[in-house]
C-alpha cells in the first residue's frame, strides 16, 4: 500500500518600488460547458486553441501560454493532436513555455461544490498530467468562479500549490483593496491548520482575467485580433491596435499593487483559437514597448503564472494575512448579487451529488472485490472504465457553469446525460460483482428495473433478496425504503431471523406501499435481507393514518391552540391543529422546548429590464420580502411502531384541488438493543416543490423563538463552518445576505442549536431573528438581451424533491451529532438486489471519515525519477494499471476545540483496518491528489505579518510503524497509496 497526506495555508501583503515590469500571461478561458456543449466548443474553437498555440509557440522562443481546464486538453490530446504535436508539447513543457495551471479536469465552482468532488476533479486532472508528462501543477488560476470559498486555500495548499490567483470578489471590497494595495495576501482557510497550510493569494484587479476591452484599440474589443469565436465555425480575420494604450493600462494597474511587477492577462473567453494571428500581432507590440522602455518606463515579457509569482516571491516581502474567511456572496453591482445560482437547477444539483455518492460506494465495492476475488470473472479493465465514466461525469459537472445551474438548457442536458450514463455504468459494475460471487439470475421488471435473484427464485418470484451496502467506515443503524405492491410482507436477515420493518401507504401513489426496513451494517460491508409475502405474526407492522381537515393559516385562533404530539425517544413534535403547521419541538433529553413553525413562501422577481433589476441563473434580486402564496394546509399523520410521518399539503386556498407544496417529516424509533444515536436524533424532512409560476423563487422558512440576533452559520463545501452575521446594505439586503449551503446550516442562541443538513446545495439566509430560510427552487424568465442571446433565462418547470435532516439540541450535543449525521446523509446505504458471500467490515474511530477507498488505475510510477525516465522512453500503456494499488484518504471531521473528545487526534492501525482486503506491503504518504511523495513536496513559505498558532497540530501527524500505525490529527486529510499483496482466490 501507499499513502497520501495534505495540508492548508494562508498569506498576507507588503511594499516595493522600481522599474515597472509587465508579465504578459497569454491564456484562453474555455468553459467546460456553458452556452455550448463540450462537443460544440471543441469544434468551434477549443481544438484549434491547442493546435494553433502549440504550433505558434514553436515559432518563437519568447512566446508562452498557460493551459487550465484538462477536459478540453485531454480530448485534444486523445482525438486531435498528432504525434508531432505531442512531441512539441513535451518540449514546450520542459522549456517552461507551456504551463498547466490548476491542472484539474475543470475550473470548479467554489460556492456549491462539495469538497469530495473538488478533490476528485483535481485528482483526475493531476493524474493525467503526471502520467502523461511527469509534471505537477504548482499554481492556481481560479479567475471565473462566482466568489471564493475558504476551503480553496486549504485544498490548493494540500495539493502542493505555491500560490493562488482569484478574481471574482465583491465589487466594493475589491475597490477598497485596490485603493489600499491589499489585493495580495496570505490566506489562511482553516482555523485548525492555521499557518501550516496557508497560501499566497493574488486577487486580480477590476479588469479581471480579460485583456481590457474598455480601451478603444480598434473596432474589435481589446486585443483580440482573431475576433470572437462563432459557432460552429470561427472567422480568421484580425485587426491591429494602438500600442501606447497597453502602457497606460499597465501603469494604471501598477498603482493598485505593492510591487512593480504587474500581472497582465492577455486573452479572454474562447480566445487564441487562431494563435497565428494573435501571436503575430502580439510580438511586434511587445517588441515596440521594450524598444521604447526608457520613454514608457515599462518593460514587457511573455510569461507564465509561475514566472510572475517567482518574481513576486523573490522580493521577499512581508504580507498581510486573511484569516479564516471567504469571499461570498459575490456582487458586481448594488442590485447584482450572485446568490441565485446557489439554487439554480436544483434537479441537476441533486443528481450530481447522488452520482458522487454512488461513485464513492462503487469505488470501495470494486476495491474489495478485486482484493477478495483476484480470480473473479469481472474484467478489471472493463470495471475500471465504468468507474472512470462516472469519475469523468462527476468531475465535469463541478465546472463553474455546471453544477451552478448557470448553463443553457442543452448544456444542462449534456451534464445530465453524462451523469446518468455514469450512474448506469457503475450500477452495472456493482450488479456484475454480485452476479460473479453467487449463483444468481437476472429478471426484468419494467416497474422496478432489472433485479438480480438467486437462481432458485427465477421460477417463483415470491421472495425478494435485497443487498444493502454501507459505504461508510462506521457501523450504522438506519432505515432503507423499498417500494412494494403488497401490504402484508415479512423481512428476514441472512440467518432467517425476523427484521423490524414497517409498511405504509405511499404518499405519492395510492397503488403502492413503502416498506421501511431497519438495517444494521458494519463499515464498508453489506447484509442480505429477504422480503416474503406474509400474513403471520412476523409481518411488518402496518402503519395507520389519520387525516385532518384543511385549515386556513391566517384565520387560526392563536388563543385556543389544540396541539397534536408526534414523538419518539428524542423529540416531541407538536402540531397546531388550528393551522396544521408545526408548533414546537421538545428535546426530551434536556426537556428544552423550542417554538418552531415551518412554511413555504415565494419571492416575486422582476422579468422586465425596463422596470428594474432582474433575477436570472446567476442573480437573485427580489422585489421585496417573501410572500405566503399558500393559504391553507392539509394534514395527515401516519403512525407506526418504527416510523411516524407528518404529511403537510399546502394549497392556494381551502377549495383548491391541487396542492402547491408538500412537506413530509419523519421521526424514527428503534427497538431495544439497537444503536439509535443518529437515527433518533433527526427529523427527516422531504419536500415536493414545483412546477412554479413564472418569476417565482420558492423558499422553506423555519421560524423559532431562539434569540439568534439574525446570525447564521453555513458550511464551506461540506468542510468547515462560517459565521454569517446579518449585514444591512443600502440596496438588495435580502439577496446579499444569502449564502451557499452545500451541506450544513444552523442557527443558535445561548441554550439551543437548530441544524439543517442537506443532500444537495441550496441558498440559505436568516432574514429575521430566530429564522432560517432555504431556497428550494427557481423559475425565471426575463427580457435581458444578454440572457436571451445565450438562452440563460432559467425557465425551469421541473418538480424538485430535496431532503433535509433537522437536528435540535444543546450546542455540545449538536457538535457531536452534526458531522457524522451530515456524512450519513451524504452516503446513505446503496440498495441492490441479489446476494453476496464473504464480508470484511472496516471500522474507523468515531471522529474519522474514510473518504476514499479506490483503485485509481494510475499507470505512473510513484518514484518521480523513474516516472520521468518512463515518459522519456515512451512507456505508458493502458494495461499497466496495477490493481493492487489502492488510494486511501482519511479525514478528521472535527476542528480544534469543537468537541473535548472528538477533536482529539485518533490512532489508526492500517493492518487491522484493512485486514479484510489483504496484506499491506507498502505505504506511501502522498499529496492530496496523489502525484507527490509528501517527503519531497516543498511549498514556498511566504513571509507574513504574523505567525499566530491556534494551538493546532503540527504539520505532520503521521508516524509509520511496521504495523503500519498512524496518528491522525486535524491535518484535515491523510492520503495514502497502498500496495496490497496478491492473494489467491
Amino acid at each position: 500500500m501507499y499513502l497520501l497526506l495534505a495540508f492548508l495555508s494562508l498569506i498576507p501583503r507588503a511594499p516595493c518600488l522600481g522599474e515597472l515590469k509587465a508579465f504578459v500571461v497569454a491564456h484562453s478561458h474555455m468553459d467546460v460547458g456553458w452556452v455550448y456543449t463540450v462537443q460544440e466548443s471543441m469544434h468551434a474553437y477549443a481544438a484549434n486553441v491547442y493546435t494553433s498555440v502549440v504550433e505558434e509557440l514553436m515559432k518563437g522562443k519568447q512566446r508562452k501560454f498557460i493551459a487550465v481546464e484538462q477536459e478540453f486538453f485531454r480530448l485534444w490530446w486523445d482525438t486531435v493532436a498528432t504525434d508531432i504535436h505531442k512531441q512539441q508539447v513535451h518540449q514546450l513543457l520542459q522549456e517552461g513555455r507551456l504551463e498547466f495551471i490548476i491542472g484539474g479536469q475543470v475550473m470548479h465552482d467554489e460556492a456549491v461544490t462539495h469538497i469530495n468532488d473538488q478533490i476528485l476533479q483535481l485528482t483526475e486532472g493531476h493524474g493525467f498530467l503526471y502520467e502523461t508528462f511527469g509534471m505537477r501543477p504548482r499554481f492556481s488560476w481560479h479567475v471565473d468562479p462566482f466568489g471564493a470559498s475558504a476551503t480553496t486555500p486549504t485544498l490548493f495548499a494540500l495539493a502542493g500549490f505555491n500560490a493562488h490567483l482569484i478574481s471574482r470578489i465583491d465589487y466594493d471590497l475589491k475597490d477598497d483593496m485596490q485603493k489600499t494595495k491589499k489585493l495580495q495576501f496570505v490566506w489562511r482557510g482553516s482555523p485548525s491548520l492555521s499557518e501550516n497550510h496557508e497560501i499566497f493569494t493574488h486577487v486580480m484587479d477590476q479588469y479581471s482575467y480579460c485583456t481590457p476591452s474598455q480601451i478603444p484599440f480598434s473596432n474589435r474589443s481589446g486585443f483580440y485580433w482573431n475576433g470572437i469565436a462563432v459557432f460552429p465555425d470561427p472567422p480568421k480575420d484580425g485587426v491591429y491596435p494602438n500600442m501606447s494604450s497597453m502602457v497606460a493600462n499597465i501603469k494604471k494597474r501598477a498603482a493598485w499593487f505593492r510591487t512593480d511587477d504587474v500581472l497582465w492577462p492577455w486573452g479572454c473567453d474562447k480566445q487564441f483559437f487562431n494563435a497565428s494571428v494573435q501571436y503575430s500581432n502580439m510580438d511586434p507590440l511587445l517588441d515596440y514597448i521594450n524598444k521604447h522602455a526608457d520613454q514608457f518606463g515599462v518593460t514587457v515579457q511573455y510569461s507564465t503564472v509561475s514566472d510572475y509569482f517567482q518574481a513576486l516571491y523573490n522580493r521577499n516581502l512581508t504580507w498581510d494575512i486573511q484569516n479564516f474567511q471567504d469571499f461570498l456572496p459575490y456582487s458586481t453591482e448594488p442590485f447584482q448579487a450572485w446568490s441565485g445560482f446557489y439554487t439554480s437547477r436544483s434537479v441537476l444539483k441533486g443528481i450530481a451529488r447522488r452520482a458522487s455518492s454512488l461513485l464513492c460506494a462503487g469505488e470501495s465495492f470494486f476495491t474489495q472485490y478485486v482484493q477478495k476475488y483476484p480470480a473473479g470473472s469481472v474484467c478489471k479493465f472493463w470495471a475500471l472504465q465504468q468507474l472512470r465514466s462516472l469519475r469523468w461525469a462527476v468531475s465535469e459537472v463541478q465546472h463553474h457553469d455546471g453544477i451552478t445551474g448557470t448553463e443553457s438548457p442543452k448544456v444542462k442536458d449534456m451534464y445530465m446525460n453524462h451523469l446518468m450514463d455514469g450512474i448506469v455504468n457503475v450500477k452495472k459494475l456493482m450488479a456484475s460483482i454480485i452476479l460473479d460471487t453467487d449463483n444468481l439470475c437476472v429478471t426484468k421488471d419494467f416497474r422496478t428495473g432489472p433485479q438480480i435473484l438467486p437462481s432458485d427464485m427465477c421460477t417463483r418470484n415470491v421472495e425478494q433478496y435485497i443487498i444493502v451496502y454501507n459505504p461508510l467506515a462506521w457501523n450504522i443503524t438506519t432505515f432503507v425504503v423499498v417500494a412494494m405492491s403488497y401490504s402484508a410482507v415479512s423481512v428476514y436477515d441472512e440467518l432467517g431471523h425476523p427484521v423490524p420493518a414497517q409498511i405504509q401507504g405511499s404518499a405519492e401513489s395510492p397503488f403502492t406501499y413503502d416498506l421501511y426496513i431497519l438495517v444494521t451494517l458494519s463499515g464498508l460491508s453489506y447484509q442480505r435481507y429477504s422480503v416474503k409475502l406474509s400474513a403471520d405474526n412476523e409481518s411488518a407492522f402496518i402503519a395507520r393514518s389519520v387525516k385532518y381537515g384543511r385549515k386556513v393559516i391566517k384565520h387560526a385562533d392563536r388563543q385556543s391552540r389544540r396541539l397534536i404530539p408526534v414523538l419518539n425517544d428524542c423529540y416531541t413534535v407538536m402540531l397546531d391543529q388550528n393551522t396544521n403547521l408545526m408548533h414546537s419541538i421538545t428535546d426530551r433529553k434536556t426537556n428544552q422546548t423550542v417554538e418552531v413553525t415551518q412554511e413555504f413562501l415565494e419571492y416575486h422577481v422582476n422579468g422586465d429590464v425596463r422596470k428594474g433589476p432582474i433575477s436570472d441563473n446567476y442573480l437573485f434580486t427580489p422585489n421585496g420580502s417573501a410572500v405566503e402564496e399558500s393559504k391553507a394546509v392539509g394534514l395527515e399523520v401516519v403512525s407506526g411502531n418504527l416510523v411516524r410521518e407528518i404529511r403537510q399539503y399546502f394549497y392556494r386556498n381551502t377549495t383548491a384541488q391541487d396542492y402547491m407544496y408538500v412537506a413530509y417529516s419523519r421521526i424514527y424509533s428503534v427497538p431495544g438493543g439497537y444503536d439509535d444515536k443518529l437515527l433518533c436524533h433527526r427529523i427527516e424532512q422531504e419536500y415536493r416543490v414545483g412546477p412554479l409560476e413564472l418569476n417565482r423563487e420558492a423558499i422553506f422558512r423555519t421560524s423559532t423563538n431562539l434569540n439568534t440576533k439574525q446570525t447564521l452559520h453555513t458550511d464551506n463545501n461540506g468542510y468547515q463552518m462560517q459565521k454569517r452575521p446579518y449585514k444591512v446594505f443600502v440596496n438588495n439586503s435580502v439577496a446579499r445576505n444569502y449564502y451557499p449551503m452545500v451541506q450544513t446550516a444552523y442557527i443558535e442562541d445561548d441554550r439551543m442549536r437548530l441544524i439543517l443538513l442537506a443532500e444537495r446545495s441550496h441558498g440559505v439566509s436568516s432574514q429575521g431573528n430566530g429564522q432560517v430560510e432555504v431556497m428550494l427552487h427557481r423559475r425565471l424568465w426575463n427580457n435581458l438581451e444578454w440572457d436571451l442571446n445565450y438562452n440563460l433565462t432559467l425557465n425551469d418547470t421541473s418538480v424538485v424533491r430535496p431532503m433535509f435532516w433537522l437536528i435540535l439540541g444543546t450546542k455540545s450535543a449538536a457538535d457531536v451529532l452534526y458531522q457524522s449525521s451530515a456524512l450519513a446523509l451524504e452516503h446513505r446505504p446503496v440498495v441492490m438486489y441479489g446476494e453476496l458471500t464473504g464480508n470484511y467490515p472496516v471500522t474507523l474511530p468515531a471522529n474519522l471519515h474514510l473518504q476514499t477507498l479506490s483503485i485509481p488505475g494510475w499507470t505512473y510510477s510513484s518514484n518521480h525519477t523513474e516516472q520521468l525516465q518512463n515518459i522519456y522512453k515512451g512507456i505508458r500503456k493502458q494495461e499497466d494499471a496495477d490493481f493492487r494499488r489502492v488510494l486511501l484518504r482519511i479525514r478528521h471531521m472535527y476542528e480544534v476545540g469543537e468537541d473535548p473528545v472528538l477533536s482529539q487526534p485518533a490512532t489508526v492501525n492500517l493492518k487491522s483496518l484493512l485486514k479484510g482486503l489483504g496484506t499491506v506491503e507498502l505505504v506511501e504518504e502522498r499529496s492530496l491528489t496523489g502525484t507527490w511523495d509528501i517527503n519531497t513536496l516543498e511549498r514556498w513559505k511566504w513571509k507574513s505579518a504574523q505567525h499566530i498558532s491556534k494551538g493546532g497540530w503540527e504539520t505532520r501527524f503521521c508516524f509509520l510503524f511496521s504495523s503500519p500505525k498512524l496518528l491522525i490529527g486535524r491535518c484535515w486529510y491523510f492520503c495514502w497509496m497502498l500496495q496490497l499483496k496478491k492473494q489467491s482466490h
Side-chain angles (χ1 to χ4, degrees):
M1 298 184 158
Y2 71 82
L3 149 80
L4 268 148
L5 168 61
F7 309 97
L8 291 176
S9 301
L10 291 187
I11 309 191
R13 153 200 91 69
C16 180
L17 291 172
E19 180 190 70
L20 284 182
K21 178 183 286 188
F23 293 79
V24 176
V25 177
H27 72 97
S28 179
H29 183 64
M30 296 188 281
D31 291 305
V32 181
W34 174 42
V35 177
Y36 303 100
T37 66
V38 168
Q39 294 76 16
E40 287 174 324
S41 296
M42 280 293 291
H43 175 70
Y45 72 92
N48 284 348
V49 169
Y50 290 117
T51 298
S52 63
V53 163
V54 168
E55 291 172 353
E56 290 306 310
L57 290 178
M58 297 302 296
K59 296 177 182 177
K61 288 291 185 182
Q62 78 282 11
R63 296 173 175 178
K64 295 187 178 184
F65 190 83
I66 65 167
V68 182
E69 300 88 353
Q70 287 308 301
E71 178 152 337
F72 283 129
F73 183 83
R74 290 174 74 172
L75 290 171
W76 175 79
W77 184 263
D78 291 336
T79 64
V80 177
T82 65
D83 288 341
I84 293 176
H85 288 140
K86 292 181 178 182
Q87 293 171 8
Q88 291 171 337
V89 169
H90 280 281
Q91 179 182 337
L92 292 168
L93 288 170
Q94 291 173 3
E95 293 174 357
R97 296 197 292 117
L98 175 64
E99 181 173 60
F100 290 108
I101 302 299
I102 308 175
Q105 190 78 348
V106 299
M107 187 190 299
H108 67 252
D109 172 67
E110 297 190 31
V112 300
T113 46
H114 196 283
I115 186 65
N116 298 359
D117 304 323
Q118 294 180 353
I119 293 171
L120 170 69
Q121 75 88 19
L122 279 176
T123 302
E124 284 294 284
H126 286 194
F128 164 76
L129 289 175
Y130 194 58
E131 276 187 337
T132 311
F133 306 113
M135 66 81 53
R136 299 165 290 200
R138 301 307 303 270
F139 303 94
S140 85
W141 179 264
H142 250 219
V143 296
D144 205 25
F146 320 134
S149 166
T151 301
T152 304
T154 300
L155 179 72
F156 285 173
L158 288 165
F161 291 1
N162 286 322
H164 174 47
L165 187 149
I166 63 177
S167 181
R168 294 186 184 267
I169 66 171
D170 214 69
Y171 71 99
D172 47 4
L173 175 61
K174 179 177 281 193
D175 186 56
D176 289 342
M177 295 170 78
Q178 278 188 181
K179 291 175 181 175
T180 57
K181 297 189 176 184
K182 295 193 175 184
L183 289 169
Q184 295 166 320
F185 49 85
V186 172
W187 195 0
R188 291 179 180 169
S190 166
S192 293
L193 298 181
S194 193
E195 71 271 15
N196 290 325
H197 285 89
E198 62 194 13
I199 196 165
F200 181 82
T201 302
H202 171 102
V203 181
M204 285 186 156
D205 57 48
Q206 67 188 39
Y207 291 107
S208 189
Y209 62 87
C210 290
T211 312
S213 59
Q214 299 91 331
I215 303 173
F217 294 106
S218 65
N219 60 350
R220 289 288 183 202
S221 62
F223 290 89
Y224 311 142
W225 291 289
N226 54 353
I228 304 299
V230 175
F231 292 80
D233 296 307
K236 303 291 189 289
D237 58 334
V239 186
Y240 198 71
N242 182 333
M243 305 205 181
S244 61
S245 302
M246 181 177 179
V247 172
N249 183 258
I250 290 169
K251 290 182 176 179
K252 183 177 181 180
R253 297 172 108 144
W256 298 329
F257 293 91
R258 293 181 54 206
T259 79
D260 294 322
D261 308 304
V262 179
L263 177 65
W264 210 82
W266 199 319
C268 197
D269 295 4
K270 309 174 188 67
Q271 290 303 306
F272 283 83
F273 62 83
N274 186 350
S276 174
V277 175
Q278 193 72 31
Y279 278 112
S280 64
N281 282 283
M282 293 165 69
D283 289 347
L285 175 57
L286 269 60
D287 289 343
Y288 179 86
I289 293 173
N290 287 331
K291 287 177 181 176
H292 296 81
D294 291 341
Q295 173 189 343
F296 291 142
V298 171
T299 61
V300 292
Q301 66 181 55
Y302 284 111
S303 303
T304 62
V305 172
S306 62
D307 291 334
Y308 172 72
F309 279 124
Q310 183 71 64
L312 212 58
Y313 183 71
N314 290 344
R315 299 273 185 178
N316 198 30
L317 303 178
T318 301
W319 303 93
D320 285 344
I321 291 174
Q322 175 79 21
N323 264 328
F324 322 132
Q325 291 297 314
D326 60 10
F327 295 94
L328 293 165
Y330 164 59
S331 294
T332 48
E333 295 177 18
F335 284 101
Q336 291 196 354
W338 293 44
S339 52
F341 78 90
Y342 302 157
T343 306
S344 296
R345 301 205 190 283
S346 180
V347 173
L348 175 63
K349 287 175 165 65
I351 293 293
R353 289 281 282 279
R354 279 169 46 198
S356 173
S357 178
L358 177 66
L359 176 62
C360 179
E363 296 276 17
S364 61
F365 202 64
F366 175 63
T367 300
Q368 293 181 82
Y369 171 75
V370 168
Q371 304 306 326
K372 297 173 190 174
Y373 300 95
S377 65
V378 175
C379 173
K380 296 179 181 60
F381 292 103
W382 171 83
L384 197 57
Q385 287 307 112
Q386 310 315 300
L387 291 170
R388 281 173 169 165
S389 71
L390 191 51
R391 290 175 192 169
W392 184 289
V394 173
S395 296
E396 175 187 71
V397 79
Q398 307 311 313
H399 170 58
H400 58 268
D401 282 305
I403 198 169
T404 54
T406 55
E407 68 277 7
S408 66
K410 66 178 177 181
V411 175
K412 178 266 296 181
D413 292 341
M414 177 199 75
Y415 288 129
M416 290 287 281
N417 290 337
H418 292 175
L419 288 167
M420 295 308 297
D421 288 347
I423 287 171
V424 169
N425 289 340
V426 170
K427 286 184 175 179
K428 282 182 183 176
L429 168 61
M430 298 179 81
S432 298
I433 291 172
I434 294 172
L435 284 167
D436 187 50
T437 54
D438 214 324
N439 184 22
L440 303 171
C441 73
V442 177
T443 66
K444 291 184 178 179
D445 185 323
F446 294 104
R447 294 168 301 169
T448 60
Q451 297 187 12
I452 302 167
L453 301 173
S455 58
D456 65 336
M457 297 309 306
C458 293
T459 56
R460 53 184 187 91
N461 194 15
V462 296
E463 186 174 354
Q464 189 170 13
Y465 285 88
I466 298 169
I467 296 294
V468 184
Y469 176 62
N470 172 23
L472 291 167
W474 326 312
N475 300 338
I476 64 167
T477 300
T478 191
F479 282 95
V480 296
V481 185
V482 180
M484 302 297 298
S485 300
Y486 307 96
S487 61
V489 296
S490 300
V491 184
Y492 300 91
D493 64 16
E494 293 179 359
L495 300 176
H497 298 148
V499 174
Q502 175 177 314
I503 196 163
Q504 60 193 45
S506 169
E508 298 293 323
S509 168
F511 307 109
T512 59
Y513 298 88
D514 293 331
L515 176 63
Y516 287 81
I517 304 172
L518 183 64
V519 298
T520 299
L521 302 165
S522 301
L524 296 190
S525 71
Y526 45 81
Q527 291 289 339
R528 186 188 72 177
Y529 298 90
S530 58
V531 181
K532 300 180 180 180
L533 299 180
S534 173
D536 57 28
N537 57 6
E538 292 181 349
S539 297
F541 184 91
I542 301 175
R544 66 183 186 276
S545 171
V546 177
K547 295 183 179 180
Y548 298 84
R550 198 180 300 185
K551 298 298 173 67
V552 178
I553 300 171
K554 292 299 184 185
H555 296 165
D557 183 356
R558 306 288 179 177
Q559 301 303 315
S560 57
R561 293 188 187 278
R562 292 178 297 164
L563 302 180
I564 305 168
V566 180
L567 68 159
N568 65 0
D569 291 340
C570 297
Y571 297 124
T572 298
V573 178
M574 288 293 189
L575 304 174
D576 186 344
Q577 200 172 338
N578 292 343
T579 63
N580 285 343
L581 296 176
M582 190 180 292
H583 170 268
S584 63
I585 303 173
T586 299
D587 177 9
R588 298 186 65 183
K589 181 177 181 181
T590 62
N591 203 32
Q592 295 262 22
T593 297
V594 176
E595 294 179 11
V596 178
T597 303
Q598 295 184 311
E599 296 178 85
F600 292 96
L601 298 96
E602 293 178 359
Y603 285 104
H604 293 196
V605 298
N606 172 43
D608 188 344
V609 294
R610 294 165 297 188
K611 296 181 180 179
I614 52 93
S615 278
D616 62 10
N617 292 36
Y618 307 86
L619 308 177
F620 173 40
T621 314
N623 287 342
S625 299
V627 178
E628 193 176 74
E629 292 289 349
S630 50
K631 308 300 183 185
V633 181
L635 175 66
E636 179 182 4
V637 177
V638 180
S639 298
N641 62 348
L642 300 176
V643 185
R644 294 162 184 86
E645 183 174 66
I646 302 162
R647 300 173 178 175
Q648 295 167 297
Y649 303 91
F650 292 75
Y651 298 87
R652 191 171 296 281
N653 52 58
T654 55
T655 59
Q657 288 191 337
D658 298 324
Y659 47 75
M660 301 174 64
Y661 302 101
V662 185
Y664 305 114
S665 300
R666 307 177 190 98
I667 59 174
Y668 297 100
S669 299
V670 299
Y674 289 87
D675 180 6
D676 68 347
K677 184 176 70 172
L678 294 186
L679 192 57
C680 180
H681 286 88
R682 71 173 184 246
I683 299 172
E684 184 177 284
Q685 298 195 303
E686 186 177 356
Y687 311 137
R688 185 185 185 280
V689 182
L692 300 177
E693 292 186 9
L694 205 56
N695 289 329
R696 299 287 191 269
E697 314 207 28
I699 65 166
F700 193 69
R701 178 178 289 169
T702 301
S703 302
T704 74
N705 64 339
L706 297 176
N707 183 22
T708 63
K709 300 179 175 61
Q710 225 169 329
T711 296
L712 176 71
H713 293 77
T714 70
D715 68 314
N716 279 139
N717 312 106
Y719 167 50
Q720 62 189 11
M721 302 301 295
Q722 289 278 324
K723 187 176 181 179
R724 312 289 194 185
Y726 189 88
K727 300 175 183 176
V728 178
F729 298 92
V730 175
N731 300 303
N732 214 19
S733 285
V734 172
R736 296 186 76 175
N737 279 285
Y738 253 81
Y739 297 93
M741 173 191 182
V742 175
Q743 192 171 61
T744 309
Y746 68 77
I747 55 174
E748 66 182 7
D749 62 11
D750 293 338
R751 61 189 183 99
M752 299 291 281
R753 177 182 292 173
L754 186 145
I755 301 172
L756 293 177
L757 303 174
E759 40 73 72
R760 71 186 72 178
S761 299
H762 299 273
V764 64
S765 185
S766 179
Q767 296 290 330
N769 187 36
Q771 288 184 352
V772 57
E773 66 185 46
V774 182
M775 188 176 290
L776 303 177
H777 201 9
R778 317 177 75 215
R779 184 184 176 191
L780 308 167
W781 187 92
N782 64 72
N783 60 359
L784 180 66
E785 186 177 356
W786 190 84
D787 281 347
L788 293 175
N789 288 343
Y790 292 118
N791 198 9
L792 297 174
T793 56
L794 198 65
N795 190 4
D796 187 346
T797 59
S798 63
V799 176
V800 300
R801 302 170 185 270
M803 179 180 287
F804 295 84
W805 288 359
L806 186 154
I807 297 172
L808 181 69
T810 62
K811 290 183 182 181
S812 58
D815 277 339
V816 173
L817 289 170
Y818 89 92
Q819 292 277 18
S820 50
S821 294
L823 287 166
L825 175 57
E826 181 81 10
H827 299 286
R828 283 165 284 176
V830 177
V831 178
M832 300 170 285
Y833 299 95
E835 62 178 325
L836 287 168
T837 57
N839 218 356
Y840 300 94
V842 175
T843 306
L844 281 171
N847 53 358
L848 301 184
H849 167 50
L850 190 150
Q851 173 161 333
T852 305
L853 181 65
S854 167
I855 294 174
W858 292 326
T859 61
Y860 62 72
S861 169
S862 56
N863 181 295
H864 185 58
T865 302
E866 183 179 286
Q867 171 65 8
L868 294 180
Q869 291 173 346
N870 288 343
I871 290 171
Y872 180 74
K873 297 174 184 176
I875 300 174
R876 182 178 179 261
K877 299 177 183 178
Q878 178 70 26
E879 58 269 27
D880 286 341
D882 186 348
F883 290 93
R884 295 180 303 156
R885 300 172 75 191
V886 175
L887 174 64
L888 173 67
R889 291 189 185 99
I890 295 178
R891 169 184 157 192
H892 197 300
M893 298 186 297
Y894 292 86
E895 296 285 353
V896 170
E898 191 169 18
D899 183 86
V901 176
L902 295 174
S903 291
Q904 299 302 314
T907 301
V908 175
N909 187 310
L910 283 182
K911 256 190 173 179
S912 298
L913 178 70
L914 302 173
K915 62 183 178 183
L917 295 183
T919 303
V920 179
E921 284 191 339
L922 176 68
V923 178
E924 291 184 9
E925 189 180 3
R926 309 291 290 183
S927 62
L928 184 62
T929 58
T931 54
W932 285 91
D933 179 336
I934 203 70
N935 297 299
T936 64
L937 175 59
E938 294 183 359
R939 295 176 57 245
W940 293 352
K941 181 64 179 177
W942 297 73
K943 291 173 64 176
S944 57
Q946 49 177 311
H947 293 280
I948 299 174
S949 173
K950 291 288 183 181
W953 294 282
E954 301 170 357
T955 303
R956 298 293 300 281
F957 308 92
C958 182
F959 304 92
L960 294 180
F961 302 97
S962 57
S963 302
K965 182 185 292 182
L966 37 112
L967 179 70
I968 301 179
R970 182 63 159 157
C971 65
W972 190 66
Y973 267 105
F974 274 83
C975 199
W976 301 274
M977 280 302 301
L978 312 171
Q979 184 164 306
L980 299 170
K981 186 176 181 180
K982 288 184 178 178
Q983 297 183 12
S984 58
H985 187 44

